[in-house]
Amino acid sequence: MSFGAERFAAHLLSEASRKNSSDIHLIPRGEEMLIQFRIQGDLVHFRTLSYSSGERLISHLKFKASLDIGDKRKPQSGAFTAHINEDILSLRVSTLPASSFKESLVIRLLPQAFSVPIERLSLFSKPAKQLLSLVHYSHGMILFTGPTGSGKTTTLYSLIQYCATHLNRNIITLEDPIERQQDHILQVQINERAGVTYAAGLKAVLRHDPDIIIIGEIRDPETAQIAARAALSGHLVLSTLHAKNAEGAVYRMLDLGVSKEELTQTLIGVTGQRLVKVNRSKPEIARATIFEVLTGKILQSVLSQTERGLCRHDSINKLLLKGVALGYVSTEEYYRWMEQETDDTAKTSGLVSEAPGRA
């Protein structure tokens, strides 16, 4: 019997959605195609196809995402939506060339009807209250940082929902791609091929009388400087940034050319976050977010100090240790996070953090 790529794709997406997967991986392995789901941060084997069947499946998914089916030599990215299990899913598709003219593909699943209050996202109540307090400001800039998969987009959408429903603000977003369609806000799709970059889009948005501007990601000096000017001109700006932690985001903005004076006047909050598995939480949440939040005098001390790494605040490491002490986070989860951090920093810095004893 011939392999039905369209029917199998529908089955694959249905199973991934049913299992609450965040991503689907199609990975070539010799003469086979390995299919894995990312569930609660872990890659879980789903099934294996012959390589020829997997190749047809990838071609079908590339066609659905409006990608070039015949080009396997360069990375491609696209998106499409699907009705799965009575839900609408936005699917972000990314391909990557592998050896011997083979190709791997990853699908990010983005449920559209998904909005969790920030109080439920956060493992601890204090950071959630701090974030809700910050979005009441009429102007200023709030930055969110964390590794891929740490829940930055979910945090942003949670705060967008709160601002739209509780504060009645005019909100405009700049996204690449638009991950969740929202009827109560204006969303602008970034399209660099058409000249709609973050910088160009942000200039246009400023003429559209927004109260709150959401920038999907600050990627370059021009966008960073326009975001700071937007905050200076009386808008509340929320955006994500690639940095190791909250303190590092401040230095990243300086590296992008935003002056210390502009940051002092505009920056009202910076967060770093990680998504962790929890042993027990409220109410029956399998994973929760740990936020470190820099604001007020602590944030100003980061801006004024001349040497990095001197800030004293509730870091993610301290909050994880608190989670372990309270029984929310297992020591295994703590060490999983620590090993991930070690790959990035400890090998180069030679620093060893205090850690709880293994059970």
Side-chain angles (χ1 to χ4, degrees):
M1 183 182 294
S2 63
F3 177 76
E6 183 175 2
R7 186 165 64 176
F8 185 83
H11 168 69
L12 178 66
L13 295 173
S14 177
E15 285 298 296
S17 176
R18 186 178 66 82
K19 295 176 182 291
N20 294 317
S21 305
S22 62
D23 302 87
I24 303 170
H25 291 244
L26 278 70
I27 306 169
R29 288 285 188 271
E31 298 303 314
E32 298 179 329
M33 184 71 72
L34 182 66
I35 302 178
Q36 296 176 319
F37 293 161
R38 187 173 294 281
I39 302 173
Q40 295 185 23
D42 295 328
L43 279 176
V44 178
H45 178 76
F46 175 61
R47 64 171 297 176
T48 301
L49 299 176
S50 67
Y51 178 74
S52 61
S53 295
E55 192 174 33
R56 288 197 291 274
L57 177 61
I58 287 178
S59 293
H60 172 73
L61 292 168
K62 288 174 68 176
F63 170 77
K64 294 287 288 183
S66 301
L67 304 181
D68 185 347
I69 295 175
D71 193 345
K72 300 181 181 179
R73 296 172 298 176
K74 65 181 181 182
Q76 298 185 66
S77 61
F80 67 99
T81 58
H83 292 264
I84 305 294
N85 300 336
E86 300 182 356
D87 292 326
I88 299 176
L89 288 179
S90 178
L91 304 165
R92 192 168 66 197
V93 178
S94 173
T95 69
L96 194 66
S99 60
S100 304
F101 301 102
K102 294 183 178 180
E103 192 173 31
S104 65
L105 181 142
V106 173
I107 306 173
R108 170 65 59 89
L109 284 74
L110 304 163
Q112 297 300 287
F114 182 76
S115 180
V116 180
I118 195 72
E119 304 95 312
R120 289 187 59 195
L121 287 177
S122 180
L123 184 61
F124 302 111
S125 61
K126 181 182 175 181
K129 292 177 180 177
Q130 287 178 306
L131 289 175
L132 290 177
S133 175
L134 289 173
V135 296
H136 280 80
Y137 280 71
S138 60
H139 61 278
M141 184 162 53
I142 307 172
L143 299 176
F144 300 84
T145 187
T148 300
S150 62
K152 297 187 297 296
T153 300
T154 300
T155 300
L156 277 178
Y157 275 99
S158 178
L159 293 172
I160 289 171
Q161 179 76 15
Y162 177 83
C163 292
T165 57
H166 290 77
L167 304 182
N168 196 29
R169 301 283 184 87
N170 179 27
I171 304 170
I172 303 179
T173 74
L174 290 166
E175 303 176 69
D176 181 21
I178 294 174
E179 299 199 354
R180 298 187 181 110
Q181 297 289 341
Q182 303 285 309
D183 294 333
H184 49 276
I185 61 175
L186 180 60
Q187 295 172 282
V188 178
Q189 170 73 54
I190 297 300
N191 186 342
E192 295 190 357
R193 290 182 180 177
V196 185
T197 62
Y198 275 111
L202 190 49
K203 289 178 183 177
V205 164
L206 288 171
R207 296 191 290 266
H208 220 70
D209 190 33
D211 296 311
I212 300 177
I213 301 171
I214 310 294
I215 304 172
E217 184 183 341
I218 292 177
R219 297 177 174 175
D220 53 57
E222 186 180 9
T223 307
Q225 289 161 17
I226 294 174
R229 293 189 200 115
L232 277 171
S233 64
H235 302 87
L236 183 62
V237 178
L238 280 66
S239 185
T240 66
L241 188 71
H242 280 296
K244 173 177 164 48
N245 52 31
E247 189 177 353
V250 175
Y251 301 118
R252 177 65 179 145
M253 289 295 284
L254 292 169
D255 291 341
L256 287 171
V258 181
S259 70
K260 185 177 291 187
E261 291 73 20
E262 287 176 316
L263 287 179
T264 301
Q265 293 183 54
T266 61
L267 203 55
I268 59 175
V270 187
T271 75
Q273 65 184 77
R274 298 293 188 277
L275 199 58
V276 296
K277 296 177 184 178
V278 295
N279 290 334
R280 52 187 173 86
S281 187
K282 54 193 190 211
E284 294 89 38
I285 298 175
R287 293 198 294 173
T289 304
I290 288 181
F291 294 97
E292 60 169 346
V293 182
L294 297 183
T295 187
K297 292 181 179 179
I298 295 178
L299 178 56
Q300 293 306 311
S301 72
V302 175
L303 285 166
S304 63
Q305 68 189 24
T306 56
E307 294 184 40
R308 304 184 181 192
L310 299 179
C311 181
R312 296 293 180 263
H313 66 287
D314 287 336
S315 66
I316 291 176
N317 187 46
K318 290 179 182 177
L319 292 168
L320 270 169
L321 286 168
K322 179 181 177 181
V324 172
L326 293 174
Y328 295 146
V329 180
S330 68
T331 54
E332 289 77 15
E333 177 68 4
Y334 175 86
Y335 277 100
R336 184 186 71 83
W337 178 83
M338 284 295 295
E339 288 166 2
Q340 192 175 45
E341 290 295 295
T342 298
D343 290 340
D344 296 333
T345 59
K347 290 179 181 178
T348 56
S349 67
L351 299 177
V352 179
S353 300
E354 178 185 356
R358 292 183 184 270

